[in-house]
Amino acid sequence: MIEFRHLRYFIAVAEELHFGRAAERLNISQPPLSQQIQALENAIPAKLLARNNRNVSLTPAGEMFLREAYQIRTQVEAAVEKAARMDRGELGEVSVGFTSTTPFMRHITATFRQYREIYPDVAIHMHQMNTKQQINPLLSGRIDFGVMRNTQLPDNLVHELLFKERFMLAVYDDHPLMKYLKTGIPLEMLTGVPLVFFERDVGTALYDEIINLLKKAGVTPVIAQEAGEAMTILGLVSAGLGVSLVTESFTRMKVDGVRYIHLAENQAFSEVWLVYHKHNTLSPAGQRLIEMLKNNVFR
C-alpha cells in the first residue's frame, strides 16, 4: 500500500536530492527515510531515484512521479482545507423555508445580509412557502429549518420563538378610520367594516390568528376580498376594496395610498417561529445561521 507519507518523503528527497537534508527537513532519521523510499519503489514497482555514494538524481519515472505527487499533495491539502472549513460552517449548503412576509422582517433580512458577508461560500437555498406548507418539507428534510408563524406542529418538529410582531390595520389614506391614526384603533371599531383577508385555503397561519383576534374582541368579520399574497392584499386596500389586519412587517412595503394604524390592544401580536426537525442534525453552516438569527433578534 502506498500511503500519503510515502509521497511526502519522496517529494522531500526529490527536492533536496540528498537523503540527509531530506531527513532533517522531515524531522526523522536517515535510515527510516531510505527504507520508506525503498518500500515506495517496491510498491509501484519502479526505480524513482538513481543514487550512489555521492549523488541522488531522479530517473525519468521519478520525474513523472514527482509531477503526479505534487498534484496529489495539492488535492489532499485542498480536501483538508475544505473539510475544516465545512466543519467550521464556512462551506456547505442551507435550505430555508420562509413566508412571503419574511423578507420584510428587519431582523431576518439583516441577519441574512450579515451571514452572506461572513460566509460567502455557503450556498443558501430559499424556498417561499406559507407556514403550513413548510411542515412536510421540514419532516422530509427538504428544508433544514423554517421561519414561520405560530401554528400547530407535529411531534417531530420543534420551534423557538424569534420575536413577536404587532398587528396593525392597513387602510387607504382617506378612509374614515384614519381618525384613529394617532390614538390607535380599538378592534371593536371593525364591526361591519369590509375586510381584505388572506385566503384560508393557502394555509397561511395569519388567517386563523386574525379570526381569533377578532373573535376575542367580539367582532364578526365581514370579508369583502381574499388574496394569497401580502402585496396583493395591500393593493386591494389601496384600491379601496376594504381594510386589512396585517403584521408590523407589512409596513415596510410601500404601496401608494396605504396607511397603517396601530391597534389599541396591547396583546395583539403574531409570533414568528424558527422551526426545525428534532431528530435531524443540522450542518455546521445551518447551525451558524440559526445562531446568528437568534443573536440578532435577542441582543
Side-chain angles (χ1 to χ4, degrees):
M1 290 289 295
I2 297 176
E3 300 178 11
F4 186 67
R5 60 190 174 92
H6 291 127
L7 300 184
R8 290 178 52 242
Y9 293 167
F10 172 74
I11 289 172
V13 174
E15 290 179 344
E16 299 291 342
L17 293 179
H18 190 282
F19 275 85
R21 290 194 298 270
E24 184 177 352
R25 167 174 154 183
L26 294 166
N27 199 28
I28 61 175
S29 60
Q30 184 171 332
L33 175 59
S34 298
Q35 293 170 5
Q36 292 300 322
I37 295 299
Q38 184 64 55
L40 173 62
E41 291 179 319
N42 291 338
I44 292 178
K47 190 171 182 61
L48 304 176
L49 297 168
R51 45 202 182 270
N52 54 40
N53 291 336
R54 292 187 176 183
N55 298 312
V56 176
S57 60
L58 288 168
T59 65
E63 291 177 353
M64 182 279 298
F65 191 77
L66 179 61
R67 292 192 295 271
E68 299 292 330
Y70 281 146
Q71 292 184 19
I72 294 170
R73 184 179 66 178
T74 299
Q75 291 174 346
V76 170
E77 289 172 348
V80 168
E81 175 62 15
K82 285 183 179 179
R85 293 189 67 202
M86 185 165 287
D87 189 64
R88 295 193 299 265
E90 298 172 3
L91 282 179
E93 297 184 1
V94 185
S95 294
V96 183
F98 69 100
T99 63
S100 60
T101 55
T102 300
F104 300 97
M105 298 174 184
R106 179 174 55 84
H107 296 301
I108 305 297
T109 55
T111 297
F112 276 95
R113 185 167 59 249
Q114 179 185 9
Y115 185 85
R116 170 55 61 220
E117 292 172 355
I118 298 174
Y119 303 111
D121 295 325
V122 175
I124 304 175
H125 305 289
M126 304 295 291
H127 305 274
Q128 181 180 330
M129 311 172 190
N130 61 51
T131 291
K132 293 180 181 178
Q133 287 173 339
Q134 293 186 41
I135 302 299
N136 285 335
L138 284 166
L139 290 172
S140 67
R142 180 188 166 203
I143 58 177
D144 297 312
F145 66 88
V147 178
M148 64 174 69
R149 303 285 177 181
N150 47 309
T151 190
Q152 186 174 357
L153 296 174
D155 291 340
N156 284 335
L157 299 183
V158 294
H159 77 276
E160 296 185 51
L161 175 64
L162 284 177
F163 54 90
K164 298 179 180 180
E165 276 198 298
R166 290 181 298 172
F167 275 103
M168 304 187 75
L169 186 70
V171 302
Y172 52 89
D173 55 12
D174 58 351
H175 193 281
L177 293 179
M178 278 292 292
K179 65 183 180 181
Y180 293 101
L181 183 62
K182 294 183 178 180
T183 61
I185 182 170
L187 278 171
E188 56 264 27
M189 298 308 299
L190 297 182
T191 300
V193 175
L195 296 171
V196 180
F197 245 60
F198 282 98
E199 296 175 351
R200 187 168 194 170
D201 59 3
V202 301
T204 177
L206 279 176
Y207 183 99
D208 294 330
E209 287 188 311
I210 295 170
I211 289 290
N212 291 333
L213 192 64
L214 293 172
K215 183 178 179 180
K216 289 179 182 178
V219 177
T220 300
V222 178
I223 302 176
Q225 301 288 332
E226 290 186 339
E229 294 293 332
M231 288 300 295
T232 304
I233 287 175
L234 295 181
L236 293 174
V237 170
S238 176
L241 298 180
V243 303
S244 185
L245 280 166
V246 298
T247 54
E248 194 169 8
S249 55
F250 278 63
T251 64
R252 299 185 70 192
M253 306 182 206
K254 305 305 180 184
V255 178
D256 288 344
V258 175
R259 303 289 294 275
Y260 299 94
I261 303 174
H262 290 281
L263 301 186
E265 286 76 9
N266 293 327
Q267 298 303 314
F269 57 79
S270 173
E271 294 183 352
V272 177
W273 287 359
L274 180 70
V275 180
Y276 50 89
H277 199 296
K278 70 167 65 171
H279 299 303
N280 290 352
T281 301
L282 284 171
S283 67
Q287 294 172 13
R288 297 293 178 274
L289 180 51
I290 284 179
E291 290 168 4
M292 195 174 291
L293 277 168
K294 293 191 290 188
N295 287 339
N296 283 353
V297 168
F298 295 120
R299 68 183 178 184

